[in-house]
Amino acid sequence: MKPGPFAYHSPTSVEQTVATLGELGHDGKVLAGGQSLIPILSMRLAKPAHLVDINRVVGLDQIEVTEQHIRVGATVRHSALERDGAAYAAIPLLRQALECVAHPAIRNRGTTVGSIAHADAAGEMPAVAALTEAVMEVVGPRGRREVAAGDFFEGALETVLDAEELLEAVRFGRFPEGTRTAFIESARRQGDYALAGVAVALTVIDGVLDRVRASYVSVTDVPGVLELTEALRGQEPAGADWSAVDDLVQAHIAPEADIHATADYRRMLAGELTRRALTEAAR
Amino acid sequence: MSTRQFGAPVQRREDPRLVTGGGRYLDDLGHTAYEVAFVRSPHAHARIIDIDLSDAWEVEGVQAIYLHEDLPDRVGESLPLLIPHPALIAPRVGYALAKDEVNHVGEAIAMVVATNRYLAEDAAARITVTFSSLPSVVGLENSRAATHLVHEEAAGNISAHLLQEVGNVTAAMAKAPNRLTLDLTIERSACMPMEGKGVYAVWDSDDERLRIYSSTQTSTGVRAAVAAKLGLPLAKVECIAPDVGGGFGVKIMHPWPEEVLIPWAARTLGHPVKWTEDRREHFISSSHERGQLQEVEVGFDDDGRVLALDVRFWHDNGAYTPYGIIVPIITATQLLGPYKPGAYRVEFWSLYTNTVLVTPYRGAGRPQGCYAMERTMDAIAAHLGLDRAEVRSRNFILPEEMPYDHGLMFQDGRPLKYDSGDFPASLAKLKALVGWDDFAAYKEQATREGRRVGLGIGCYVEGTGVGPYEGGHIQVETSGRVNVATGLTTQGQGHQTILAQIVADELGVPIDSVHVTTGDTRRMAYAVGTFASRGAVMSGNAVALAARVVRAKALRIAAEALEVSAEDLEIEDGIIRVKGAPDTALALATVAVLSNPLRYAFDESARAATQFAGTFDPDKPPIADDEEPGLEGQDFYSPTQATFANGMHAAIVETDPVTAEIRILRYCVIHDCGIMVNPMIVEGQVHGGVAQGVGGALYERMAYDESGQLMNASFMDFLMPYASEVPHIETDHLETPSPLNPLGIKGAGEAGTIPVTAVIASAIEDAEGFPIRSMPISPTQLWELRQQHAREDAR
């Protein structure tokens, strides 16, 4: 379990990074926190000829909170974002989800932006990116572009990012006033990849539900947003009949079986966790 | 008055070193050694047609590449059958490197030696092996069906078949007023030490001497095996177990292929060579355990007393049987636990599969036996509508029946005879600890709240401290430092502490002056190994006996020097003095000086010992005819049989009514390992054992697919419980001394693991109201069981 040979690059600026990635094309791979990449390299499941380590790139470790969003740079560790008081005040869902990301040791190294670029269907932060309608700030040899979360994920471990491009930052959108969120997942062991997980956001205006949405972990290929508003609009959160969303949830998800759980079990779990998350958010 | 160390919760003396990075594990050694990577079989069953090395040789830094055909003489012969048994009718053992055929994924085929592990792996990846695949046999049911064979000469895939019977089961069963049958399944798991196996070997060509460091549970065993394989005189081979980051059984198996190959390569290349197992290698190339199918028939009276017990089981031994049939023999004999079953018949078949071999893992066949027996006890109670603890107590062997001979042969070839134990007292303590009698009310309340809770129980007896022997050697230096050596190895149990406690008391010295060495054949060449919960029993008693030898010698010398009778002397805090006249005294260190008359005065203490310094009787030689120089002594402890520890566990679990998630709310342990040398270390052993037991009950399984690929060969998918999954463990102790050894102690190493699967199955069954017959169990499986029972109820 040692990686195959690779060349190591350690740029210190975004410009250098992009130039290096542009030269390397498909031979290059960005290394941020390494919590997914390094095991893959050690098991020789991937053998990139070049690693471009962005940990020394100046300015990528910033968290900015504005009226509209939270902008998270490419080398911000999960734990830094999890502990950031201003970020929590702006979007509590970030911390609610980050607490479920693996274990503290992994969160201390792993980056939130990296986990979004990795686009694992079992990742918590892609689901959060979807639900917050995040904007991906992408930089490459041909300049900068912005991609909406809804357009970013293409499949399991697949995004619209080109090999020459760097996901420089992610802007998580703030929810409207009156929005409450919850994040629940069920894993075999605490910190494992979830068998199923759900993030919900419900917006209450004048004491009744105005908008309700959910996104899922481990039961969909691509983190998308499930609109539940039609089924619930106008109900009071305290007495809402959450089972009204059951069919919508089941139609939205497409879980697969693995050695840890059957697809049917995950379906049941996704339904139950949705009801529990909505109950918790409504509390 | 110095404090007695024996029995005190002395803090572990090894921990400051280990927790501050001072440990020297196998991979910490030999940084300049060549390193090794193996090409391992990707197929479960295949013939090797061709191996192409040409690309691999192009990797810079490659020093050697070896295949089976390169191995000379005995190195190329099959590995030893370590523990033969008459019932082992078709034993098969592999080769250090596969010869013509592979029988499990992970079997080593080619060995690459390079300047470092990275390059060795680069080269290994370039070796092309052409296989012709053979049908693979995976899982006990496929093996039993024997549509395909693992080894052509093992008909029916059967390696061993053994039947033992006490009384007439057929007659007793026929007469029993009640009969039940149970079909039970228990899956595979494995040891998973923090550091896997590892070997580092240095050939000293000047001295023609081989030094082997191995992450092993038996350095004497590895030494002897390698000396035999390499054709070296035993005197020219030494083996040291450095700090070993956990063993749990997998490292008592020996010699592993790598333990032969690395020393051979070091000698052949004239350069130190090292191999450290990585985690994937550990999953697919080191042993597993536990997998069994069991059929139990039990006959019992209306009070729940067992009149006849008929057990048949099929044991998955993997592809080879180097460690014989120790595991299924232990299942067959230790299944009985604290009970006397009337007539008992047990028959097992040990079966080949195209999976990695099966050798003892902490508990070693007992968790399976306990599971069979305890599931049976619960079934009897359910059938008769009786309290589960009551049914157990009606079947207990009583204290006045000790020693109790079951009439069976145990794993050491000696009678299965319990030496002591007070099972009713243990059960009473357990019921008090868990609140057995109050549980019904608690459950009723929980049910009203929409919760599902269940209480489970499991009892076991564990034969510990099997022979043949261990030794202790003790030497008192002239500084007063006491060096203790025992040959068995340490994997973190706390031997440095408990052996020092024993010696400090026996010798009358401060514990800080006692220094313990384990697992180094240079210090103690005669030893067996660390397994079967035998460290404290065997080496504990051995060092106690050795300390008594040294003490007697010290008193003899002191008596002469002080011109008093030895009987009038005592030793305390390293000072020998006359009882009642403490001013007439001599330090033990001084006695060490006196014990070794010297010619050369190289330091102050030596000056005191030179032949011109003392006032010796000119008519006597400096060393008496029946004495030896030096204040040291050695003795061995060799028991007539194992000593039997026991314990009883209870757990309260909660299962989620919707998601079927399983949570352990409470876990209670009553533990009786005789007199405890160090109760804190015993508790630690129990905690670790329960943690591993929880893994085996709820999380761990070896997910082989039909072609014999292990699909969860990583810590991402093989679910060892984290601290977050292990409940708080409540313990209480009973100390029933063993009459068999001088210290009255019994083993404690494996105890915690044994009943956990049985206890959790019992508790889930109680929560759910339907029988649990297959373990481990996951939420998804419990959820499916619920649906299956709901469908059956609806019919």
Side-chain angles (χ1 to χ4, degrees), chain B residues 345-551:
Chain B
R345 178 166 59 204
V346 61
E347 183 173 18
F348 71 75
W349 293 263
S350 192
L351 300 181
Y352 285 112
T353 56
N354 288 114
T355 60
V356 74
L357 61 163
V358 165
T359 65
Y361 157 39
R362 196 177 196 177
R366 294 177 188 86
Q368 300 95 310
C370 178
Y371 170 68
M373 189 75 235
E374 295 297 308
R375 297 283 68 227
T376 303
M377 284 291 162
D378 279 0
I380 293 170
H383 183 81
L384 297 174
L386 292 173
D387 176 71
R388 292 171 290 165
E390 180 60 26
V391 167
R392 284 167 170 84
S393 74
R394 287 174 187 175
N395 286 286
F396 279 160
I397 297 160
L398 300 174
E400 53 269 30
E401 295 174 284
M402 296 289 178
Y404 187 88
D405 191 340
H406 276 289
L408 294 163
M409 188 194 282
F410 191 43
Q411 61 143 321
D412 53 0
R414 288 167 180 263
L416 182 75
K417 190 164 83 180
Y418 296 175
D419 47 333
S420 64
D422 188 341
F423 307 136
S426 287
L427 183 64
K429 270 181 176 272
L430 181 70
K431 287 174 71 173
L433 184 62
V434 75
W436 184 270
D437 294 330
D438 302 328
F439 182 74
Y442 172 79
K443 185 174 182 174
E444 204 172 297
Q445 173 65 27
T447 307
R448 276 201 297 274
E449 294 164 4
R451 299 166 56 211
R452 288 192 195 189
V453 294
L455 170 63
I457 182 173
C459 311
Y460 69 91
V461 169
E462 182 198 357
T464 70
V466 298
Y469 69 86
E470 288 298 336
H473 179 272
I474 294 175
Q475 176 199 40
V476 182
E477 292 191 17
T478 54
S479 63
R481 175 188 166 107
V482 180
N483 299 314
V484 179
T486 190
L488 63 62
T489 61
T490 292
Q491 298 87 47
Q493 295 93 332
H495 293 147
Q496 269 77 6
T497 305
I498 63 147
L499 298 180
Q501 286 177 262
I502 291 168
V503 170
D505 280 358
E506 291 286 346
L507 212 50
V509 297
I511 192 166
D512 289 341
S513 67
V514 184
H515 301 265
V516 178
T517 300
T518 59
D520 184 339
T521 63
R522 299 170 299 186
R523 294 287 308 282
M524 172 57 80
Y526 292 97
V528 184
T530 304
F531 58 94
S533 302
R534 70 194 293 279
V537 178
M538 301 303 300
S539 283
N541 281 291
V543 300
L545 294 173
R548 290 172 193 182
V549 171
V550 173
R551 180 190 175 88

Side-chain angles (χ1 to χ4, degrees), chain B residues 566-637:
Chain B
E567 288 94 76
D568 295 333
L569 295 172
E570 62 185 8
I571 315 180
E572 207 173 280
D573 279 335
I575 307 293
I576 304 175
R577 58 184 147 227
V578 176
K579 293 175 196 163
D583 292 344
T584 313
L586 204 57
L588 199 61
T590 309
V591 176
V593 172
L594 297 177
S595 73
N596 185 19
L598 294 172
R599 187 168 180 84
Y600 308 113
F602 45 80
D603 66 7
E604 279 308 310
S605 70
R607 182 192 302 275
T610 61
Q611 53 200 314
F612 300 106
T615 53
F616 290 102
D617 186 340
D619 296 332
K620 287 185 186 168
I623 298 287
D625 286 346
D626 53 355
E627 288 281 15
E628 293 172 1
L631 184 51
E632 61 180 272
Q634 169 169 292
D635 205 349
F636 291 83
Y637 173 63

Side-chain angles (χ1 to χ4, degrees), chain B residues 76-98:
Chain B
E77 292 170 12
S78 75
L79 294 164
L81 174 62
L82 274 188
I83 309 182
H85 191 284
L88 190 58
I89 48 184
R92 275 300 302 266
V93 184
Y95 296 86
L97 290 171

Side-chain angles (χ1 to χ4, degrees), chain A residues 34-90:
Chain A
Q35 299 303 291
S36 299
L37 182 59
I38 297 292
I40 289 169
L41 296 181
S42 293
M43 289 187 272
R44 300 195 178 214
L45 297 173
K47 286 183 219 162
H50 297 264
L51 282 190
V52 181
D53 181 349
I54 60 166
N55 285 286
R56 288 181 188 81
V57 175
V58 176
L60 292 184
D61 59 348
Q62 297 300 307
I63 301 169
E64 292 166 38
V65 180
T66 73
E67 289 299 315
Q68 287 77 40
H69 58 249
I70 299 175
R71 185 179 185 275
V72 177
T75 58
V76 172
R77 313 290 163 184
H78 290 302
S79 58
L81 185 57
E82 179 188 356
R83 287 194 288 260
D84 192 291
Y88 178 63

Side-chain angles (χ1 to χ4, degrees), chain A residues 188-189 192 260, chain B residues 695 699-700 712 715-721:
Chain A
R188 287 303 321 277
R189 300 171 299 184
D192 279 352
H260 302 302
Chain B
Y699 297 99
E700 298 169 1
N712 60 343
F715 280 160
M716 191 171 85
D717 285 319
F718 178 82
L719 309 178
M720 291 175 78

Side-chain angles (χ1 to χ4, degrees), chain A residues 90-274:
Chain A
I91 311 180
L93 180 62
L94 290 179
R95 184 181 292 173
Q96 290 165 349
L98 283 163
E99 285 172 346
C100 296
V101 175
H103 307 101
I106 291 173
R107 298 203 289 272
N108 285 341
R109 285 300 299 167
T111 64
T112 298
V113 171
S115 81
I116 290 169
H118 186 54
D120 193 324
E124 288 82 1
M125 299 322 284
V128 170
L131 197 63
T132 57
E133 296 175 333
V135 173
M136 312 298 167
E137 296 184 10
V138 178
V139 57
R142 286 174 298 283
R144 289 188 152 77
R145 62 182 178 130
E146 296 194 343
V147 184
D151 301 324
F152 184 74
F153 301 105
E154 293 197 308
L157 307 176
E158 283 178 34
T159 69
V160 300
L161 270 184
D162 286 337
E164 299 103 27
E165 288 181 315
L166 171 72
L167 182 56
E168 187 180 7
V170 173
R171 295 201 307 268
F172 296 95
R174 293 179 67 165
F175 295 109
E177 195 80 5
T179 302
R180 307 174 202 173
T181 59
F183 188 98
I184 301 186
E185 67 174 38
S186 172
R188 287 303 321 277
R189 300 171 299 184
Q190 188 177 318
D192 279 352
Y193 283 130
L195 300 177
V198 60
V200 299
L202 50 87
T203 307
V204 179
I205 294 180
D206 297 335
V208 295
L209 294 168
D210 181 66
R211 194 175 184 206
V212 184
R213 297 175 311 136
S215 67
Y216 289 86
V217 175
S218 295
V219 289
T220 57
D221 271 356
V222 172
V225 175
L226 173 62
E227 271 293 347
L228 301 170
T229 305
E230 289 309 312
L232 294 166
R233 180 179 280 154
Q235 294 198 43
E236 287 180 17
D241 175 17
W242 304 120
S243 63
V245 306
D246 285 353
D247 291 345
L248 292 170
V249 173
Q250 295 304 325
H252 176 72
I253 61 175
E256 289 178 13
D258 66 11
I259 57 172
H260 302 302
T262 60
D264 283 351
Y265 180 80
R266 287 173 201 265
R267 280 198 171 277
M268 174 279 297
L269 202 55
E272 176 67 11
L273 295 184
T274 304

